[in-house]
Amino acid sequence: MNTNFKDYNQQQNWLFPPSIEELIPEDHPVRVVNGVVEQLDLNLLISEYSKDGQPSYHPKMMLKIMVYAYMDNTYSSRKIEKAMGENINYMWLSGKQVADHNTIARFRSKKLKTIFKDIFKQVVLLLADEGLVTLKEVFTDGTKIESVAGRYTFVWGNAIKTRKKKMVEQLEQMWQYAQSIADDEDKDPTPPDFKEIDQDKVKQTAKKINKILSNNPKAGSKQKAKLRYIEKNFASNLEKYEQQEKILAKRNSYSKTDPDATFMRMKEDHMKNGQLKPGYNVQISSESQFVIHYSLHQQTTDYHTLKPHLQTYQYLYESMPDRVVADAGYGSEENYEYLEDNNVEAYVKYNTFDKEHKNYKTKKKASGKDDFHRDSLHYNEKGDYYVCPMGQRMEKQNDKKQRTKSGYLQYTSVYQAQNCNGCPLRSLCHKSANHRTIQRNHKLERHKEIARQRLNTELGEQKRIQRTADVEPVFAHIKSNRNFERFTHKGIQKAELEFGLHALAHNLKKKVA
């Protein structure tokens, strides 16, 4: 029998029991969390507490526990409570105090909700003091993360418009029917205006129709039943639609179980069929793979997120970065102009840059079809006209104005050929029944030319490569390594706080590394 074992005795007493301090390695991440939080100004967090009632757990201790829990991939308040009672690292941070899960949940959702961005900013500034980041150059990108809302609890803006349109049609039909069978003294020479309907108009119209149909022997039973349905449901339905449109604001969808969430197409699709799911568009700006700034948006496209994202950056740090690097999802006239007005050097692609760059590098010749594309036609800037493939001048006809979803006003010039009749290239050039017209946004073209020249420099090529190695791995780490593919809290404020905790944990974990 082998008896060559080390001594094992659970009842052995310690002459000098070790302290928890001795059991925590000097280079353990928990010490980094403790050291960073000790340097923070927590007056805003302390002001969230009332001086009345029973003493609360110290907010400094609660913040340390919360940040370390997210570094430890522990997000459930019950699991954090359990760790505070069993895990030596949590015990050391809390001084052996154990907060119950309700206290932990309230601290996260209520105490941190309005002041967490200030804590995040202070940590980033500490990283800047250590020389890990400069705040002068940021790489910006976005990803869509699913909300905790039910996946099939959607409300669609277009569906509301369709239902309201059908209500108008039914009211008009009932009104015309009532007028067709009404006695001469009951006929109304001025029919109601149904272009815009509200509850009062529905009630008044239904009342007038009812007056005609109630004692009229010509009235059919189906029409009377239809009128009863209108009286019973239309006003209440309109009230519901008005409330839904108020929640929608400028969006086209929201979830009934998380009204702040918008239905978006996600890369992580559990059904693998490209279905829409409720979620938020998360934007981050990174430097050296540290998250410098983050924001959540309800817009599905990145075009409309860059400006508000950088506005909150400016509010947070009281300055703008000197340089922004982003992909083609942000290359709009509004964004280029905003960056230019704020003296930010923009390395931002436009939607056709990659195709142009690929053709330029491979020296690929344009296809025959490309020869007739607007960008292939000669534009005379001095005379403000285009020249078609047959040498015909395309004169400017007018300027068009249009507003984007964000309210930005764009101007587009329209140019038209004088005579395409009998042109041997017409079938290749265009398929319009009239003479060919093309449109040009001069301001956007100017911004694209600046972007093209900047991106094709040696520095521009370096920044394009650097962007993919800087900001994209941050999302990969947070979503894959930290198992964060879906929010666990409802509402955009709580969801933004949740992502902020992940971003702060990411920064501290990278600092440790």
Side-chain angles (χ1 to χ4, degrees):
M1 181 176 179
N2 186 358
T3 58
N4 188 23
F5 298 123
K6 291 184 179 180
D7 184 54
Y8 172 66
N9 184 359
Q10 287 181 286
Q11 280 70 47
Q12 177 68 54
N13 291 325
W14 294 73
L15 180 60
F16 298 107
S19 67
I20 295 180
E21 180 74 27
E22 295 173 344
L23 300 175
I24 306 293
E26 287 298 324
D27 58 350
H28 197 280
V30 74
R31 291 190 181 274
V32 174
V33 174
N34 186 69
V36 168
V37 175
E38 284 291 341
Q39 298 179 66
L40 303 180
D41 178 0
L42 299 180
N43 286 328
L44 285 177
L45 177 57
I46 292 170
S47 67
E48 293 290 316
Y49 287 82
S50 172
K51 296 179 180 179
D52 302 325
Q54 292 291 324
S56 303
Y57 290 105
H58 201 288
K60 184 186 290 185
M61 181 274 285
M62 295 295 292
L63 180 60
K64 290 177 182 178
I65 290 294
M66 188 60 63
V67 173
Y68 181 70
Y70 272 73
M71 286 181 68
D72 195 38
N73 289 16
T74 305
Y75 315 129
S76 162
S77 57
R78 291 181 184 274
K79 288 183 179 179
I80 295 173
E81 177 189 356
K82 186 173 184 288
M84 290 179 76
E86 299 176 357
N87 189 308
I88 194 170
N89 297 317
Y90 289 83
M91 289 179 183
W92 179 73
L93 277 180
S94 67
K96 295 184 181 179
Q97 293 180 329
V98 180
D100 67 89
H101 62 274
N102 287 323
T103 302
I104 295 168
R106 282 195 299 271
F107 176 78
R108 175 168 50 192
S109 63
K110 294 184 178 179
K111 305 301 183 185
L112 291 178
K113 184 170 66 174
T114 57
I115 56 88
F116 184 77
K117 275 284 181 75
D118 179 72
I119 293 171
F120 182 85
K121 176 189 76 172
Q122 290 187 60
V123 174
V124 172
L125 293 177
L126 287 175
L127 296 174
D129 290 340
E130 293 182 31
L132 297 173
V133 296
T134 64
L135 302 181
K136 299 297 184 182
E137 176 181 76
V138 296
F139 299 86
T140 300
D141 201 1
T143 189
K144 296 177 180 67
I145 298 180
E146 189 178 352
S147 166
V148 70
R151 289 168 175 156
Y152 307 104
T153 58
F154 36 74
V155 174
W156 298 102
N158 289 337
I160 294 173
K161 292 176 184 177
T162 301
R163 293 189 191 111
K164 289 176 74 173
K165 184 180 178 181
K166 287 182 178 179
M167 288 170 67
V168 169
E169 291 173 355
Q170 290 181 46
L171 273 175
E172 285 182 328
Q173 290 172 4
M174 284 301 298
W175 176 262
Q176 292 170 4
Y177 174 78
Q179 293 299 307
S180 68
I181 65 169
D183 297 329
D184 291 339
E185 63 271 15
D186 291 332
K187 288 186 177 179
D188 191 343
T190 55
D193 180 13
F194 292 113
K195 289 182 180 178
E196 291 186 9
I197 60 171
D198 52 39
Q199 296 179 58
D200 291 336
K201 187 174 289 185
V202 167
K203 290 176 181 177
Q204 292 171 7
T205 304
K207 188 176 180 181
K208 290 179 181 179
I209 296 172
N210 186 43
K211 183 179 178 183
I212 297 172
L213 266 60
S214 58
N215 298 316
N216 195 320
K218 299 178 185 177
S221 57
K222 287 185 179 180
Q223 283 73 20
K224 288 182 178 181
K226 195 171 186 178
L227 178 61
R228 287 194 296 271
Y229 179 84
I230 290 173
E231 291 175 322
K232 183 179 178 181
N233 296 291
F234 273 29
S236 59
N237 286 349
L238 268 178
E239 184 180 9
K240 181 179 74 173
Y241 296 152
E242 287 169 6
Q243 291 173 353
Q244 290 175 339
E245 287 177 327
K246 194 177 291 184
I247 294 171
L248 281 166
K250 295 180 180 181
R251 295 180 291 162
N252 188 42
S253 65
Y254 75 85
S255 169
K256 292 176 184 176
T257 52
D258 183 3
D260 286 345
T262 305
F263 278 78
M264 308 176 181
R265 295 197 186 279
M266 308 280 177
K267 289 182 180 178
E268 298 78 16
D269 182 6
H270 68 290
M271 296 290 286
K272 306 296 181 186
N273 60 1
Q275 68 173 198
L276 298 166
K277 293 186 285 189
Y280 297 97
N281 191 346
V282 180
Q283 298 290 312
I284 66 168
S285 291
S286 71
E287 183 185 358
S288 301
Q289 293 188 0
F290 287 98
V291 180
I292 305 300
H293 181 51
Y294 65 91
S295 59
L296 260 66
H297 304 265
Q298 296 171 307
Q299 295 92 341
T300 57
T301 58
D302 291 336
Y303 281 126
H304 304 302
T305 62
L306 184 64
K307 185 176 177 180
H309 176 74
L310 291 178
Q311 284 173 337
T312 54
Y313 180 102
Q314 186 177 27
Y315 175 80
L316 195 65
Y317 295 106
E318 298 179 356
S319 66
M320 291 284 276
D322 294 341
R323 179 183 294 150
V324 169
V325 185
D327 66 11
Y330 303 89
S332 69
E333 178 190 341
E334 181 179 7
N335 290 337
Y336 285 130
E337 186 172 283
Y338 176 75
L339 293 169
E340 185 179 71
D341 291 345
N342 285 276
N343 299 315
V344 178
E345 192 176 18
Y347 287 82
V348 181
K349 296 179 184 178
Y350 47 89
N351 58 355
T352 59
F353 174 81
D354 284 332
K355 182 180 178 182
E356 290 177 9
H357 187 68
K358 184 179 178 181
N359 290 343
Y360 171 78
K361 288 194 75 174
T362 59
K363 298 181 180 180
K364 181 181 176 182
K365 294 182 179 180
S367 66
K369 189 175 181 181
D370 290 338
D371 291 338
F372 298 93
H373 190 272
R374 188 210 66 179
D375 292 341
S376 299
L377 303 183
H378 172 70
Y379 173 68
N380 186 302
E381 188 173 357
K382 186 176 180 180
D384 193 16
Y385 62 84
Y386 273 92
V387 179
C388 80
M390 284 296 289
Q392 182 183 177
R393 284 175 55 153
M394 303 179 71
E395 303 287 353
K396 180 178 175 180
Q397 303 298 306
N398 61 288
D399 288 316
K400 294 196 307 182
K401 294 191 299 184
Q402 63 178 14
R403 288 194 180 274
T404 64
K405 287 184 178 180
S406 61
Y408 180 77
L409 188 61
Q410 291 181 320
Y411 293 89
T412 305
S413 298
V414 180
Y415 300 84
Q416 186 174 43
Q418 301 304 305
N419 186 11
C420 293
N421 296 328
C423 177
L425 300 177
R426 177 168 182 164
S427 60
L428 297 171
C429 187
H430 69 100
K431 299 185 184 303
S432 171
N434 301 313
H435 305 307
R436 182 180 180 181
T437 59
I438 57 175
Q439 299 182 12
R440 179 185 175 95
N441 182 330
H442 291 280
K443 192 183 288 187
L444 177 59
E445 293 300 326
R446 181 181 71 81
H447 286 303
K448 284 170 65 175
E449 181 57 31
I450 295 172
R452 186 182 295 113
Q453 292 179 7
R454 190 174 284 161
L455 289 164
N456 282 321
T457 62
E458 186 177 342
L459 178 62
E461 188 169 353
Q462 176 191 335
K463 293 305 170 186
R464 284 189 278 121
I465 295 170
Q466 192 177 348
R467 185 197 69 81
T468 60
D470 197 294
V471 65
E472 292 180 6
V474 176
F475 282 131
H477 176 75
I478 292 176
K479 296 172 81 171
S480 298
N481 295 347
R482 308 189 63 77
N483 299 320
F484 179 54
E485 295 184 350
R486 193 180 187 192
F487 288 104
T488 58
H489 292 79
K490 295 179 182 178
I492 191 168
Q493 271 193 315
K494 289 183 179 180
E496 187 171 61
L497 168 62
E498 186 177 358
F499 185 84
L501 284 164
H502 281 284
L504 180 56
H506 167 84
N507 285 351
L508 293 183
K509 205 153 190 175
K510 183 165 180 60
K511 174 180 164 62
V512 173

